[in-house]
Amino acid sequence: MKNILLLNGSKAFAHSLGRLNDTFHDAAVELLSNTGFNIRQTKIDAGYDVQEEVENFLWADLVIYQMPGWWMGAPWTVKKYVDEVFTAGHGSLYASDGRSRSHPDQKYGSGGMIQGKKYMLSLTWNAPEEAFVDPAQFFEGKGVDAVYFPFHKANQFLGMTPLPTYLATDVIKAPAVNTTLQHYREHLAQTLGFECPKPATDK
């Protein structure tokens, strides 16, 4: 995987200024560029050309979504992006829903045209980690990927497969930005198979 599309889903809204997700996005751009990956990036809330984004998906080996968790899912700006770009990709990102009267063995969701490409979610939440993994807490122990099940399926409809999700938790009540950013860098390095640089403060 040499070509990476970084999608910045930060959004200034209500009490959120969007700065944390901008910071995560910028850290990924710096790390991956310095490691030799080819980078394209889009800040969704700044506007985009739909057809150019379709071409970005065709170019990319990996798409990374950086976004906050809002009301149990992606911000509406990111959902709008997916609706517009994926729909415009009919005939290049996906052919159909996959079913065929002449081939009844073909199942719904098998019509994606970008098989072999990967995607990854990088998410920031105010909720603590235990809210996702403890069966007695809010998400009933189902984990963050269950929260994003429809979002995962939208990407898989195109034929893409997921890489492990990165989840930054408790980012408002117990922020630890530098530590969390380093954990994200390490997650990228481990997932993509390169050595993560040590923090500048380490000797």
Side-chain angles (χ1 to χ4, degrees):
M1 291 183 290
K2 292 299 292 182
N3 297 338
I4 301 180
L5 173 61
L6 294 164
L7 297 175
N8 182 355
S10 70
K11 171 72 179 173
F13 178 72
H15 57 275
S16 172
L17 300 178
R19 292 184 301 203
L20 180 60
N21 281 272
D22 284 341
T23 300
F24 271 81
H25 173 85
D26 291 345
V29 170
E30 180 180 22
L31 175 63
L32 297 173
S33 297
N34 290 342
T35 310
F37 292 94
N38 304 315
I39 299 299
R40 293 185 185 178
Q41 56 180 309
T42 300
K43 183 167 185 176
I44 292 172
D45 198 41
Y48 50 87
D49 179 275
V50 171
Q51 193 54 47
E52 285 184 7
E53 295 306 308
V54 172
E55 294 300 321
N56 283 339
F57 269 78
L58 294 172
W59 168 85
D61 301 311
L62 167 64
V63 178
I64 299 178
Y65 294 90
Q66 178 65 56
M67 56 185 169
W70 281 8
W71 288 105
M72 316 313 140
W76 81 86
T77 46
V78 177
K79 181 59 167 64
K80 178 175 179 284
Y81 174 95
V82 167
D83 288 351
E84 292 180 336
V85 174
F86 288 14
T87 300
H90 183 222
S92 58
L93 301 181
Y94 72 100
S96 66
D97 70 11
R99 294 176 296 169
S100 169
R101 289 183 178 87
S102 58
H103 296 282
D105 56 310
Q106 294 179 350
K107 302 294 190 266
Y108 179 84
S110 63
M113 299 176 70
I114 53 174
Q115 308 287 336
K117 294 179 183 288
K118 311 291 185 183
Y119 72 94
M120 192 189 92
L121 310 185
S122 175
L123 311 167
T124 61
W125 276 73
N126 175 51
E129 183 177 2
E130 56 266 27
F132 295 95
V133 299
D134 183 347
Q137 294 208 29
F138 188 75
F139 292 112
E140 304 173 13
K142 293 180 170 62
V144 68
D145 288 306
V147 178
Y148 285 85
F149 185 78
F151 198 89
H152 278 294
K153 287 302 169 184
N155 284 272
Q156 291 165 21
F157 194 88
L158 304 183
M160 295 196 291
T161 55
L163 295 180
T165 297
Y166 180 76
L167 175 62
T169 56
D170 228 352
V171 299
I172 295 176
K173 286 196 167 72
V177 175
N178 290 337
T179 299
T180 308
L181 276 174
Q182 183 59 21
H183 289 166
Y184 180 44
R185 294 184 185 100
E186 291 166 358
H187 176 90
L188 288 171
Q190 181 177 7
T191 302
L192 299 181
F194 62 88
E195 185 174 350
C196 184
K198 292 184 178 180
T201 55
D202 288 358
K203 300 298 183 182

